[in-house]
Amino acid sequence: MIPNAGSTSADLHELAQRHHTAYRSVGAMVYGLLQEAILSGTLRPGQKLRQETLAEQIGVSRLPVRSALIQLESDGLVEFHDRRGATVRSISPDQAREVYRIRALLEVDALKQSMKRSSPERVKRLRELAKAADGQHEGPEFVEARTQFYAELYDAEHNPITWEMIEQLRLKMGRYVLGWRVVGGSHTHSHEDLVDAFASGDATKASALLRKHLAEVLKGVLSWLDAEATGTD
Amino acid sequence: MIPNAGSTSADLHELAQRHHTAYRSVGAMVYGLLQEAILSGTLRPGQKLRQETLAEQIGVSRLPVRSALIQLESDGLVEFHDRRGATVRSISPDQAREVYRIRALLEVDALKQSMKRSSPERVKRLRELAKAADGQHEGPEFVEARTQFYAELYDAEHNPITWEMIEQLRLKMGRYVLGWRVVGGSHTHSHEDLVDAFASGDATKASALLRKHLAEVLKGVLSWLDAEATGTD
DNA sequence: TTCTTGAATTCTGGATCCAGAATCCAATCT
DNA sequence: AGATTGGATTCTGGATCCAGAATTCAAGAA
């Protein structure tokens, strides 16, 4: 049925099954599908993304694929090469360091802002979300759980633009964080620790913990980048 | 020739003339054109963007228009309403304040990083760019001159991701900054002052000046937002 | 044998065409 | 007279088709 059935093709097909559930538009479906494929590593950094091949594997026309690729370019997950197609964007160690430096800036600020609006209800909700996030260690459920937790932690409701920026940066690194996690990265239940610091009301302490957490993840990502560059492939 | 020739249509046509100069793709041309149209106020916040009308006015098919709109959505300049088309995105005073709070964070950090790499050559180049930026007070040349100046000031070369974030935020507010400038905002040659602070090597002083500058622009933008909400229209 | 050049194939980007959903208007019923 | 419902029109989103550019492969010459 499908011309070149490699392992990538098989994986994409499996993803397509789950993503066939109610989406408002085909373009949105393809976008979500490709994003997950990149984040999960099914599509590797540097890999060429031929529109027609992707369209056939997913089972749609090339047009929604194009739309999705354009969006993914804005997200920084894929790269367009003038008239030579698109590739999965890879990241350099220097860029990873830069991302985590900016994230520290934004997230520490967001956390401080958010803690000003602390309330028993929010702490309760945070505990629940933290538990859920610490329970999931892989797959799109992990991404989703973490996202919900941080949305509450940083009060996305009241700081939509800050949240948007943070999400963007998290998305850029998502592929590497996931890879590192899977091979046995930190499972130190840091989310619940963060909630404790949040609940204590001590902004300095919470900021320090957050910084430490980010530094640890950066370390993991860097080691994963190194392993990927030398090891597999 | 053109069905509904309002003032918007005429303005878009004029823009199209200048944008017919060598672009690599039609989509990129439409993107640049629409971006300028939004930033210059030819397309007003809240205005409906019908794909076919735009396509006809620019003189291309609907497809590159769609591509451009998708990109502009990611830029935060337009908003998609499920199956009901796209509109020019407007911004609330609260969001404006948020943007400038984040910009202060990012830009002060970027400036400090950049000042570590200060050199006589960079200071010289900054002075030239500042002069050029202070010489232009409107239109796309003003935007371009300012962009080049800040790219050098923040050392975009060595901090590409930080620069990307800053550019994104500047773009979000561009329409309002331009509007405010045109009606007689600050022309205090602040660019050259910034270069002086940069050259002095005093990071604290430079940061304070930058913050002050951003606060002033925010004030102008807020007043412009207020005037736009109550006055014209 | 290797490098260069040209032709053929392939793939992106654009245009036209088609189907489905939403809005708007009119007609009818209360 | 006003409201509600049905139909017609309009506009978005998707699919197929076409043209132009780039890469690759092969053949010929150095």
Side-chain angles (χ1 to χ4, degrees):
Chain A
M1 219 58 82
I2 284 147
N4 51 347
S7 70
T8 300
S9 168
D11 287 348
L12 268 188
H13 230 63
E14 194 206 328
L15 277 183
Q17 299 304 323
R18 289 194 291 98
H19 278 268
H20 267 311
T21 52
Y23 265 97
R24 22 196 171 68
S25 73
V26 179
M29 188 267 281
V30 175
Y31 173 74
L33 173 74
L34 289 182
Q35 180 176 306
E36 190 185 326
I38 293 174
L39 291 184
S40 68
T42 302
L43 296 171
R44 321 271 304 256
Q47 184 168 346
K48 287 209 69 173
L49 299 171
R50 299 205 306 103
Q51 300 179 353
E52 191 161 353
T53 307
L54 291 175
E56 280 175 8
Q57 288 171 348
I58 300 173
V60 296
S61 124
R62 269 179 44 212
L63 216 129
V65 174
R66 256 161 80 177
S67 299
L69 288 178
I70 292 173
Q71 288 182 265
L72 289 166
E73 189 205 17
S74 295
D75 291 342
L77 290 181
V78 311
E79 225 171 359
F80 272 77
H81 299 93
D82 216 7
R83 280 251 180 198
R84 281 182 286 165
T87 57
V88 179
R89 191 167 168 184
S90 56
I91 204 164
S92 72
D94 272 350
Q95 286 175 326
R97 274 183 270 265
E98 204 190 338
V99 165
Y100 279 93
R101 188 158 51 74
I102 309 172
R103 280 190 57 180
L105 271 178
L106 288 179
E107 299 192 24
V108 164
D109 182 69
L111 183 62
K112 283 178 183 169
Q113 292 283 326
S114 175
M115 284 177 73
K116 289 181 188 168
R117 291 176 176 271
S118 182
S119 73
E121 292 76 31
R122 289 193 58 209
V123 171
K124 180 163 175 286
R125 183 166 155 73
L126 270 174
R127 287 213 187 280
E128 289 166 7
L129 291 171
K131 204 168 180 180
D134 281 331
Q136 289 287 347
H137 283 170
E138 53 180 310
E141 296 83 8
F142 170 67
V143 175
E144 179 59 24
R146 263 184 50 133
T147 299
Q148 284 194 12
F149 171 73
Y150 283 111
E152 181 59 45
L153 183 69
Y154 297 142
D155 199 10
E157 177 82 26
H158 293 97
N159 298 294
I161 296 175
T162 310
W163 173 244
E164 199 184 311
M165 295 275 127
I166 293 172
E167 270 292 272
Q168 219 174 300
L169 292 169
R170 297 207 320 131
L171 195 60
K172 266 190 218 294
M173 305 305 303
R175 186 245 172 288
Y176 304 98
V177 174
L178 275 180
W180 162 61
R181 281 249 163 192
V182 169
V183 297
S186 135
H187 292 162
T188 51
H189 294 264
S190 43
H191 297 114
E192 295 194 21
D193 293 344
L194 267 174
V195 180
D196 288 336
F198 182 95
S200 80
D202 185 342
T204 309
K205 187 172 119 191
S207 299
L209 185 61
L210 179 55
R211 273 188 226 276
K212 183 166 157 260
H213 174 62
L214 285 172
E216 273 173 17
V217 178
L218 170 59
K219 204 175 144 195
V221 167
L222 286 175
S223 70
W224 175 255
L225 275 174
D226 188 54
E228 200 173 52
T230 57
T232 6
D233 268 306
Chain B
M1 218 58 82
I2 284 149
N4 53 346
S7 69
T8 300
S9 168
D11 288 349
L12 267 188
H13 229 62
E14 195 205 327
L15 278 182
Q17 299 303 323
R18 290 195 288 97
H19 279 268
H20 268 311
T21 52
Y23 266 96
R24 31 194 164 70
S25 72
V26 178
M29 186 267 280
V30 175
Y31 173 75
L33 172 75
L34 288 182
Q35 180 176 307
E36 190 184 325
I38 292 174
L39 291 184
S40 69
T42 301
L43 297 171
R44 320 272 302 257
Q47 183 167 346
K48 286 209 68 173
L49 299 171
R50 296 204 308 104
Q51 299 179 354
E52 191 161 355
T53 307
L54 291 174
E56 278 175 10
Q57 288 171 348
I58 302 173
V60 296
S61 125
R62 268 180 47 211
L63 215 126
V65 173
R66 254 160 82 176
S67 299
L69 287 178
I70 292 173
Q71 288 181 265
L72 289 167
E73 190 205 16
S74 295
D75 291 343
L77 290 180
V78 312
E79 224 171 358
F80 271 78
H81 298 92
D82 214 7
R83 280 251 178 196
R84 282 184 284 164
T87 56
V88 179
R89 191 168 168 181
S90 56
I91 205 164
S92 72
D94 273 349
Q95 286 175 325
R97 274 183 271 266
E98 203 189 338
V99 165
Y100 279 94
R101 187 159 51 75
I102 310 172
R103 280 190 58 181
L105 271 179
L106 288 178
E107 298 191 26
V108 164
D109 182 69
L111 184 61
K112 284 179 183 168
Q113 291 283 327
S114 174
M115 284 176 73
K116 290 182 188 168
R117 289 177 178 271
S118 182
S119 72
E121 291 76 30
R122 289 193 57 208
V123 171
K124 180 163 174 287
R125 184 167 154 71
L126 270 174
R127 287 212 187 280
E128 290 167 7
L129 292 170
K131 203 166 179 182
D134 281 330
Q136 289 287 346
H137 282 170
E138 55 180 310
E141 296 83 8
F142 170 67
V143 175
E144 178 60 24
R146 261 183 53 131
T147 299
Q148 283 193 14
F149 171 73
Y150 283 110
E152 180 60 44
L153 182 68
Y154 297 142
D155 199 11
E157 177 83 27
H158 292 97
N159 298 295
I161 296 176
T162 310
W163 173 244
E164 200 184 311
M165 295 275 127
I166 294 171
E167 270 293 273
Q168 219 174 302
L169 291 168
R170 296 209 318 132
L171 194 60
K172 267 190 218 292
M173 304 305 304
R175 186 244 174 286
Y176 304 98
V177 174
L178 276 179
W180 163 59
R181 282 250 162 192
V182 168
V183 297
S186 134
H187 291 162
T188 50
H189 295 266
S190 44
H191 298 114
E192 294 194 22
D193 294 343
L194 268 175
V195 180
D196 289 336
F198 183 97
S200 79
D202 185 341
T204 308
K205 187 171 118 191
S207 299
L209 185 61
L210 180 55
R211 274 188 224 274
K212 182 165 159 261
H213 174 62
L214 285 171
E216 273 174 16
V217 177
L218 169 61
K219 202 174 145 195
V221 167
L222 285 176
S223 70
W224 175 254
L225 275 173
D226 187 54
E228 201 173 49
T230 56
T232 5
D233 270 307

